[in-house]
């Protein structure tokens, strides 16, 4: 049984068209023309309990809009959504009692009050049993290192501290699902890493299903086995990161330390991307030649001291997909990995 | 109920932190109160009473209305509207609680702290300057407390409803200013309603506005007794029920078309 089932989801926003000039602005007082923005344009997917999904896409792709629909905040323009047995926007109160959500740019905490006051209030809001609240708070305090600022008013927290407090707030009631919209936005590397570790911990130890949107590719590369890539409201890819890399990653690299300063180190089937004395970096297309074949060819001509195969950088891969719109040409790559 | 008080307490705590604003507001309310009192004294021009209200009662009226300005947010309240516009409404809707009760609980905290810090202070300072009227009978005190509480609830339910306009238009502030301007006049805040012609008072009684100010004033001054007093309290309850139902219906429609700004 999937915990989330989304079928042909659509959300259009009406945006008032700007009329040019004086005549235009006078006209717009009387009749306004609207232009539909297709924020989410026919998306379908299913998610199984316990998955940790990366929902990836450039700015304006439709990630937040999808999350707002999944959390019951927005009513979609079309399509069907069933999460945890609920249609989110129909039975909002009952539904949200079983989910947690963090929107990176907002806080659920009371701005002027110490963090702990807001957390205590959640105990009442979600009717969390005292024992569960105590245990969860103790665990999260340690894992997220909240102690230093538990009694500080939220407005005085750093962004990273606030985010940690917000993530704690979203989990005190043991939700079945956790939605995170850009949880690492604006954070430094250390703060990002701490939050990623915590998300992994919650997913693995508690089996909480996590959906995480981001435009930071390193979040996804480090956390998620399955990614969904959305752009312009459409799902372009849904599958394992490895499959994406395999298909679009383009060239792999073989770094070889040669035993001698060969003046010419070329081989058929690969090009030299970089050379630094005896260290040569070959680039090759995985479709044309395998790593072992290439190693065979090199070692037939030159003496090799050491070597390493380097996978293409996921960031570079996905950036290439966005920029060259590779997936649009080939059509969506759904179900390539048995997720459907 | 537990949750309601937990929220009220925190709102109370939060508004306690705005001390500078409280003092500034207090001084302003007091200044305008004295101004209003001076104008009324001049208008009375040694007449013993106007429309059944003595000059002493008129002065008390200005003190009392100034004292409850912030308690019932007579000059307007835009917090909910603002949370819709900046998208913070999202985090409130993500919590499994009644949206109306959530805002009401916060408003009660805000109102009570303002009644204690600003309202009481204004009445005390007034009492030092003027010879004021005070409720005497215990029944009158009881009625006053009930009317005050109901006035807050009615006023809140009205402000809630007005703020919901933000679900429909990006310019609900204008609607708010208009709606709260009407409240100001028709509630009896601007002038005691008894000063107005009968037809106007009758008209006012068809609206929820007198239930926010005028009822409190007339009970305080002892102008309402017996069946009239009971009738006024019942009217408050009736308007409260109507406004709460209207608020919930409008909220339900609004949530269908909510657009949440920003990530
Ligand atoms: N409230 C709104 N009104 C009009 N357009 C919106 C609104 N919210 C989002 N959009 C538009 O929908 C598209 C998707 O936005 P969003 O879901 O926020 O993207 P992402 O989170 O991936 O950056 C964008 O083009 C955005 O401008
Ligand atoms: Mg976003």
């Amino acid at each position: 049984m999937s915990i989330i089932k989304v079928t042909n989801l659509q959300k259009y926003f009406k945006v008032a068209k700007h009329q040019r000039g004086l005549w235009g602005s006078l006209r717009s007082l009387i009749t306004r023309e609207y232009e539909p923005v297709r924020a989410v344009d026919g998306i379908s997917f299913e998610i199984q309990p316990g998955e940790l999904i990366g929902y990836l896409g450039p700015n304006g792709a439709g990630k937040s809009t999808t999350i707002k629909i999944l959390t019951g905040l927005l009513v979609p323009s079309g399509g069907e959504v069933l999460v945890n047995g609920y249609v989110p926007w129909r039975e909002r109160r009952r539904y949200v009692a079983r989910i947690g959500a963090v929107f990176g740019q907002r806080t659920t905490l009371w701005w002027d009050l110490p963090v702990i006051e807001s957390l205590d209030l959640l105990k009442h809001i979600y009717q969390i049993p005292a024992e569960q609240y105590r245990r969860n708070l103790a665990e999260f305090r340690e894992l997220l290192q909240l102690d230093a600022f538990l009694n500080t008013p939220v407005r005085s927290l750093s962004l990273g501290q606030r985010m940690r407090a917000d993530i704690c707030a979203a989990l005190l009631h043991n939700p079945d699902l956790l939605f995170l919209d850009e949880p690492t936005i604006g954070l430094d590397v250390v703060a990002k890493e701490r939050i990623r570790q915590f998300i992994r911990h919650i997913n693995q130890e508690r089996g909480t299903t996590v959906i995480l949107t981001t435009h930071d590719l390193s979040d996804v590369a480090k956390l998620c086995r399955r990614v969904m890539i959305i752009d312009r409201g459409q799902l372009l890819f849904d599958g394992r990161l490895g499959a994406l890399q395999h298909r679009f990653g383009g060239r792999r690299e073989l770094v070889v330390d040669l035993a001698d300063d060969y003046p010419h180190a070329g081989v058929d089937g690969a090009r030299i991307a970089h050379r630094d004395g005896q260290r040569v970096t070959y680039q090759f297309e995985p479709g044309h030649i395998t790593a072992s074949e290439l190693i065979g060819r090199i070692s037939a001509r030159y003496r090799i001291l050491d070597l390493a195969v380097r996978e293409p950088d996921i960031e570079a891969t996905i950036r290439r997909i966005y920029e060259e719109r590779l997936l649009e040409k080939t059509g969506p790559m759904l179900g390539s990995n048995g997720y459907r | 109920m537990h949750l309601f008080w937990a929220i009220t307490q925190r709102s109370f705590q939060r508004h306690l932190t705005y001390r500078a604003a409280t003092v500034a507001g207090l001084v302003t309310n007091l200044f305008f109160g004295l101004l209003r009192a001076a104008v009324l004294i001049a208008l009375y021009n040694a007449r013993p009473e106007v429309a059944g209200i003595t000059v002493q009662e008129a002065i008390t009226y200005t003190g009392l209305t100034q004292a409850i300005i912030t308690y019932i947010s007579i000059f307007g309240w835009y917090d909910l509207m603002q949370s819709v516009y900046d998208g913070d409404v999202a985090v409130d809707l993500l919590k499994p609680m009644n949206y109306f009760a959530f805002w009401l609980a916060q408003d009660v905290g805000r109102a009570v702290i303002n009644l204690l810090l600003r309202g009481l202070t204004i009445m005390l300072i007034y009492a030092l300057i003027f010879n004021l009227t005070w409720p005497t009978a215990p029944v009158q005190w009881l009625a006053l407390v009930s009317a005050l509480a109901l006035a807050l609830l009615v006023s809140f339910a009205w402000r809630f409803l007005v703020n919901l306009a933000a679900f429909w238009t990006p310019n609900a502030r204008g609607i708010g200013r208009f709606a709260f301007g009407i409240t100001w006049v028709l509630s009896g805040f601007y002038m005691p309603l008894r000063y107005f012609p009968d037809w106007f008072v009758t008209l006012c009684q068809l609206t929820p506005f007198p239930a926010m100010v005028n009822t409190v004033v007339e009970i305080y001054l002892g102008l309402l007794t017996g069946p009239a007093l009971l009738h006024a309290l019942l009217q408050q309850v009736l308007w409260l029920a109507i406004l709460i139902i209207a608020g919930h219906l409008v909220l339900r429609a609004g949530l269908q078309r909510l657009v949440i700004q920003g990530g």
Side-chain angles (χ1 to χ4, degrees):
Chain A
M1 256 296 272
S2 44
I3 193 164
I4 299 182
K5 186 166 163 56
V6 171
T7 315
N8 193 25
L9 183 65
Q10 294 156 23
K11 180 70 188 180
Y12 302 154
F13 291 107
K14 277 195 292 183
V15 179
K17 222 179 188 169
H18 268 289
Q19 307 274 0
R20 284 180 186 223
L22 179 64
W23 177 238
S25 54
L26 283 179
R27 237 184 37 187
S28 71
L29 282 179
I30 305 159
T31 57
R32 270 213 194 166
E33 280 178 52
Y34 289 99
E35 219 166 4
V37 174
R38 295 162 177 253
V40 174
D41 196 12
I43 283 181
S44 303
F45 58 84
E46 278 184 45
I47 290 172
Q48 306 303 320
E51 281 196 86
L52 198 171
I53 310 274
Y55 197 50
L56 193 66
N59 266 324
K63 304 182 296 294
S64 295
T65 304
T66 312
I67 297 295
K68 285 175 197 166
I69 295 169
L70 291 181
T71 51
L73 296 173
L74 294 185
V75 181
S77 316
E80 283 159 38
V81 177
L82 200 66
V83 190
N84 221 8
Y86 292 96
V87 176
W89 58 94
R90 288 239 178 87
E91 295 159 277
R92 181 183 63 81
R93 274 177 69 183
R94 242 179 299 159
Y95 169 68
V96 296
R98 299 296 323 139
I99 66 165
V102 178
F103 289 88
Q105 281 117 316
R106 310 192 181 287
T107 180
T108 191
L109 310 165
W110 288 41
W111 203 241
D112 305 299
L113 296 185
V115 175
I116 189 69
E117 286 290 331
S118 293
L119 298 182
D120 275 344
L121 183 61
L122 293 170
K123 182 174 67 183
H124 296 288
I125 291 177
Y126 290 97
Q127 297 174 5
I128 306 171
E131 176 56 22
Q132 176 193 329
Y133 178 76
R134 203 189 51 72
R135 251 186 299 124
N136 276 347
L137 188 59
E139 182 181 343
F140 300 156
R141 274 165 74 157
E142 190 185 327
L143 288 173
L144 290 166
Q145 301 179 15
L146 304 178
D147 283 333
F149 53 88
L150 219 43
N151 291 305
T152 310
V154 174
R155 71 179 125 75
S156 321
L157 300 185
S158 74
L159 187 59
Q161 291 174 329
R162 208 219 71 211
M163 188 62 71
R164 272 138 65 196
D166 258 305
I167 291 179
C168 169
L171 286 164
L172 287 169
H173 59 292
N174 291 354
D176 303 322
L177 277 139
L178 178 63
F179 296 93
L180 301 165
D181 192 11
E182 307 268 7
T184 59
I185 198 164
L187 301 185
D188 63 54
V189 182
V190 179
K192 275 182 186 175
E193 190 48 38
R194 186 177 290 157
I195 284 177
R196 285 181 196 137
Q197 274 175 15
F198 182 74
I199 294 170
R200 189 181 297 122
H201 171 87
I202 289 298
N203 173 253
Q204 284 176 356
E205 300 302 313
R206 302 185 166 214
T208 310
T209 309
V210 181
I211 297 184
L212 160 100
T213 84
T214 182
H215 64 268
D216 182 337
L217 305 162
S218 55
D219 280 344
V220 166
K222 295 198 172 143
L223 274 179
C224 312
R225 280 188 350 139
R226 176 180 172 193
V227 290
M228 296 194 283
I229 299 182
I230 180 180
D231 195 11
R232 300 184 186 184
Q234 296 187 337
L235 201 57
L236 299 185
F237 176 84
D238 180 356
R240 279 175 209 273
L241 213 49
L244 185 74
Q245 218 153 342
H246 186 72
R247 181 158 168 193
F248 297 105
R251 300 167 198 95
R252 300 169 80 190
E253 289 181 343
L254 180 68
V255 184
V256 182
D257 284 335
L258 299 173
D260 215 335
D261 257 331
Y262 300 101
H264 177 81
V267 285
D268 282 344
R271 78 181 189 90
I272 296 175
H274 187 70
R275 174 151 191 189
D276 182 13
Q278 285 162 246
R279 173 165 292 186
V280 184
T281 305
Y282 297 93
Q283 271 188 347
F284 61 103
E285 298 279 349
H288 295 159
I289 185 169
T290 64
S292 63
E293 273 177 296
L294 182 61
I295 293 167
R297 284 187 200 176
I298 297 170
S299 59
R301 292 199 193 176
Y302 317 108
R303 227 152 54 78
I304 295 176
L305 290 182
D306 196 5
L307 58 79
V309 178
R310 249 200 255 151
E311 294 304 324
D313 186 8
I314 181 69
E315 300 211 10
T317 306
I318 293 180
R319 199 167 302 120
R320 239 184 91 215
I321 291 171
Y322 290 156
E323 281 165 8
E324 300 174 22
R325 316 202 70 78
L326 285 176
L327 286 163
E328 262 169 50
K329 285 177 212 149
T330 51
M333 193 176 144
L334 298 168
S336 57
N337 49 11
Y339 274 113
R340 292 217 322 181
Chain B
M1 221 46 212
H2 225 68
L3 171 59
F4 192 94
W5 286 122
I7 296 172
T8 301
Q9 265 173 32
R10 279 167 184 77
S11 169
F12 193 90
Q13 218 176 321
R14 172 179 164 200
H15 284 274
L16 257 181
T17 62
Y18 306 152
R19 259 167 248 139
T22 304
V23 172
L26 177 70
V27 172
T28 315
N29 293 160
L30 199 59
F31 172 77
F32 280 97
L34 298 179
L35 201 66
R36 292 175 71 201
V39 170
L40 280 180
I41 292 169
L43 284 178
Y44 268 76
N45 193 16
R47 267 184 290 180
E49 59 171 61
V50 173
I53 298 176
T54 66
V55 70
Q56 185 194 7
E57 285 166 346
I59 292 167
T60 307
Y61 160 83
T62 62
L64 185 61
T65 46
Q66 291 299 112
I68 60 173
I69 283 178
T70 38
Y71 173 68
I72 56 168
S73 298
I74 192 87
F75 290 141
W77 176 78
Y78 302 90
D79 292 5
L80 191 158
M81 210 177 262
Q82 194 52 45
S83 84
V84 173
Y85 289 148
D86 56 31
D88 282 341
V89 61
V91 293
D92 297 335
L93 291 175
L94 279 170
K95 294 179 185 131
M97 55 190 180
N98 180 301
Y99 190 62
F100 178 89
F102 169 68
W103 277 105
L104 175 61
Q106 292 185 70
D107 201 59
V108 169
R110 182 202 59 73
V112 169
I113 191 97
N114 276 296
L115 191 65
L116 295 179
L117 292 187
R118 279 163 81 158
L120 281 185
T121 314
I122 287 173
M123 287 311 276
L124 286 176
I125 294 177
Y126 251 73
L128 293 178
I129 303 173
F130 302 106
N131 182 20
L132 295 185
T133 308
W134 298 96
T136 45
V139 181
Q140 196 186 353
W141 274 110
L142 194 69
L144 177 67
V145 171
S146 316
L148 257 180
L150 284 165
L152 174 64
L153 297 176
V154 173
S155 132
F156 173 78
W158 167 241
R159 286 178 279 130
F160 182 83
L161 192 60
V162 170
N163 273 257
L164 291 182
F167 285 81
W168 276 266
T169 161
N171 307 313
R173 255 182 187 273
I175 295 175
R177 269 194 294 274
F178 178 74
F180 296 133
I182 289 183
T183 313
W184 201 52
V185 177
L186 300 193
S187 65
F189 172 81
Y190 179 62
M191 281 280 175
L193 286 186
R194 284 180 189 239
Y195 286 178
F196 290 99
D198 281 345
W199 64 266
F200 186 77
V201 179
T202 313
L203 199 75
C204 289
Q205 295 299 348
L206 295 176
T207 72
F209 306 116
M212 301 174 197
V213 177
N214 199 57
T215 308
V216 173
V217 168
E218 298 202 345
I219 290 177
Y220 184 101
L221 296 178
L223 300 173
L224 290 178
T225 48
L229 192 155
L230 208 60
H231 182 255
L233 288 176
L234 282 178
Q235 221 167 8
Q236 282 185 307
V237 173
L238 185 69
W239 277 116
L240 177 61
I242 291 173
L243 288 172
I244 288 178
I245 291 168
H248 276 85
L249 292 178
V250 173
L251 174 65
R252 192 185 300 175
L255 288 176
Q256 295 300 306
R257 45 169 301 133
L258 174 64
V259 162
I260 293 170
Q261 304 295 339

